[in-house]
Amino acid sequence: MIETTAELEAACKELAKSEFITIDTEFLRETTFWPILCLIQMASPTKEVLVDPLAKDIDLTPFFELMANTSVVKVFHAARQDIEIIHHLGNLIPHPIFDTQVAAMVCGFGDSVSYDQLVNRIKGVQIDKSSRFTDWSHRPLSTKQLDYALADVTHLRDVYLTLKAQLEREKRSDWLTEEMNILEARETYDIHPDDAWQRLKMRVKKPQELAILKFVAAWREREARSRNVPRSRILKDDCLYEIAQQQPKDAEALGRLRTIGRGWERSAGGAAVVEAVNAALGLPKSEMPQVPRHTPAPEGAAAAVELLKVLLKLTAEKHGVAAKVIANSEDLDKIAADGEKAAVAALTGWRRDLFGETALRLIQGDVALRFVDRKVEAVELEGQQSA
């Protein structure tokens, strides 16, 4: 276990000599807005280390410098939360990266395959998961915890090499690159408080309600970040919806809401919410946000979606790619409704070559699905009239 800056610097210098390193983190987030980093695991083909970020006076700068080293591929499994931690603490995005969960979907291992499932299928090793939900902030960590944590990066080496070889063999490395570009984009993690409302379900029907929801959600986001507590500790989502709908313009009106705790309307938070409500209602009509309207799907779109679902499953099975990484149900709805104009990933890049082009031809009547020899296949229609 590395507990000093000097040890960490020496280890990172050694790891930097490798073409790739595998990385994982253990953290806690139940009572904070930002994850509390409790353990860092790293491995190269020849070295394995555990780093204690909670050790007294340890400086993680050598670790962040390694994450910024563009000559070393950083290998994660389900990288988003690990990268979020690195971005928050080190103000950087690791590059280049390789996410084995995404690579596994491209290689046909199914949707969002877990690490232990992937290790079992590739290496035939059963990982002991009993230490997964433990208190990683408690010291000292047990030998069982440390063994579990280290296994998250040691087996990952073989998983990475296997998936990398398969991607290269099947000429799909560029497919993964497109996905990694999203994970490496700062906007994936730099979510502005003014955009916090977008993570909420749309339960508002009027422009004034949406304006209030935006203003109050932005205040909650800033408050949660500054106090480093979960959003729900400030206000629960249901409370935001009720505030948007009831539009309380003063403390008395706020106090009458069902979701507001007794007396909270007289707190600094209550005053801030009332201020946000009045600021939203004070917007000029021209600046009021427009509530997204659900446009009825054109006639026949529902049937087209069902055909697209069959085509998607057929395509995924034929090419050994998880359906989820090609298109989702929302993509299919948009393709059925808008055709070529649908702004979806399924109609761009390798997804279009694999699925999107045929999907468009299917809904245009140039491709048909038929059941032959106990399987479904897509066939071109040339000069045939639809029945």
Side-chain angles (χ1 to χ4, degrees):
M1 176 75 85
I2 290 176
E3 297 179 328
T4 69
T5 305
E7 291 174 326
L8 178 59
E9 188 172 9
C12 289
K13 186 176 180 180
E14 187 68 25
L15 291 168
K17 297 176 183 178
S18 301
E19 178 185 340
F20 75 91
I21 56 173
T22 56
I23 309 156
D24 190 37
T25 63
E26 305 297 343
F27 56 89
L28 297 179
R29 198 173 194 164
E30 286 78 9
T31 61
T32 60
F33 184 91
W34 304 110
I36 301 171
L37 181 59
C38 299
L39 192 67
I40 302 171
Q41 308 99 280
M42 294 185 287
S44 70
T46 58
K47 188 175 182 64
E48 302 148 9
V49 300
L50 295 173
V51 181
D52 185 359
L54 300 180
K56 186 178 180 181
D57 298 328
I58 193 169
D59 183 350
L60 296 179
T61 298
F63 168 70
F64 296 129
E65 290 174 346
L66 179 60
M67 294 298 97
N69 188 335
T70 57
S71 65
V72 181
V73 177
K74 274 69 72 175
V75 181
F76 299 86
H77 183 83
R80 190 176 291 260
Q81 291 194 86
D82 299 310
I83 293 177
E84 180 188 9
I85 292 171
I86 295 168
H87 175 254
H88 173 61
L89 296 178
N91 192 30
L92 64 95
I93 304 290
H95 173 80
I97 64 172
F98 186 105
D99 189 325
T100 55
Q101 186 177 70
V102 178
M105 288 194 285
V106 173
C107 291
F109 284 83
D111 292 346
S112 304
V113 61
S114 68
Y115 176 67
D116 52 281
Q117 290 173 332
L118 199 53
V119 170
N120 183 252
R121 291 177 64 178
I122 288 178
K123 297 191 64 180
V125 173
Q126 200 79 29
I127 295 178
D128 179 5
K129 299 183 291 184
S130 60
S131 296
R132 175 171 294 179
F133 301 108
T134 59
D135 183 356
W136 292 101
S137 67
H138 180 73
R139 294 296 184 270
L141 294 171
S142 67
T143 300
K144 186 177 182 180
Q145 285 176 303
L146 297 177
D147 288 344
Y148 167 84
L150 199 58
D152 280 347
V153 290
T154 52
H155 296 304
L156 192 56
R157 295 178 294 199
D158 291 330
V159 169
Y160 163 68
L161 292 172
T162 298
L163 294 175
K164 180 173 179 288
Q166 184 173 339
L167 288 169
E168 292 172 351
R169 185 170 62 251
E170 298 176 356
K171 295 181 171 52
R172 296 182 179 182
S173 298
D174 289 344
W175 299 10
L176 186 71
T177 299
E178 290 185 30
E179 301 306 303
M180 295 305 96
N181 288 340
I182 297 173
L183 282 175
E184 291 181 5
R186 278 190 176 268
E187 52 267 29
T188 301
Y189 310 95
D190 282 333
I191 301 174
H192 195 279
D194 289 344
D195 297 323
W197 67 276
Q198 294 179 359
R199 62 174 294 277
L200 299 167
K201 296 177 181 178
M202 289 301 295
R203 296 184 185 175
V204 295
K205 299 179 180 179
K206 302 175 183 178
Q208 293 88 346
E209 293 176 355
L210 180 54
I212 292 171
L213 188 67
K214 285 186 171 185
F215 276 52
V216 177
W219 168 79
R220 182 182 71 165
E221 188 76 8
R222 293 187 179 94
E223 192 75 3
R225 292 185 184 191
S226 66
R227 291 168 52 183
N228 194 23
V229 296
R231 297 178 184 92
S232 60
R233 291 282 186 93
I234 306 299
L235 282 177
K236 295 185 182 300
D237 289 355
D238 285 346
C239 186
L240 265 64
Y241 302 136
E242 187 178 17
I243 290 170
Q245 291 164 358
Q246 299 301 320
Q247 305 176 19
K249 300 180 181 66
D250 53 42
E252 183 180 356
L254 182 64
R256 289 197 295 267
L257 300 188
R258 176 181 55 83
T259 56
I260 293 294
R262 181 176 298 179
W264 189 82
E265 72 276 8
R266 295 189 296 273
S267 68
V273 167
V274 169
E275 182 180 352
V277 169
N278 287 308
L281 293 175
L283 288 175
K285 188 175 182 180
S286 60
E287 296 180 19
M288 282 286 177
Q290 295 301 307
V291 179
R293 298 296 180 187
H294 176 69
T295 304
E299 186 178 354
V305 169
E306 294 306 313
L307 289 176
L308 290 171
K309 288 179 181 178
V310 175
L311 178 64
L312 178 59
K313 184 176 181 180
L314 173 66
T315 303
E317 291 176 351
K318 178 180 178 181
H319 296 280
V321 182
K324 181 180 178 180
V325 83
I326 300 174
N328 57 35
S329 58
E330 186 177 347
D331 293 340
L332 301 185
D333 290 340
K334 290 181 178 178
I335 293 172
D338 303 326
E340 182 71 60
K341 295 180 181 179
V344 296
L347 296 184
T348 63
W350 64 268
R351 292 177 177 83
R352 184 180 184 111
D353 296 336
L354 199 70
F355 169 76
E357 197 65 45
T358 305
L360 291 173
R361 290 176 59 76
L362 176 66
I363 63 174
Q364 290 165 357
D366 297 325
V367 168
L369 299 176
R370 69 178 182 183
F371 187 74
V372 179
D373 296 331
R374 298 183 180 180
K375 65 179 182 179
V376 177
E377 60 181 26
V379 295
E380 294 282 339
L381 294 177
E382 296 181 3
Q384 299 184 31
Q385 295 183 348
S386 58

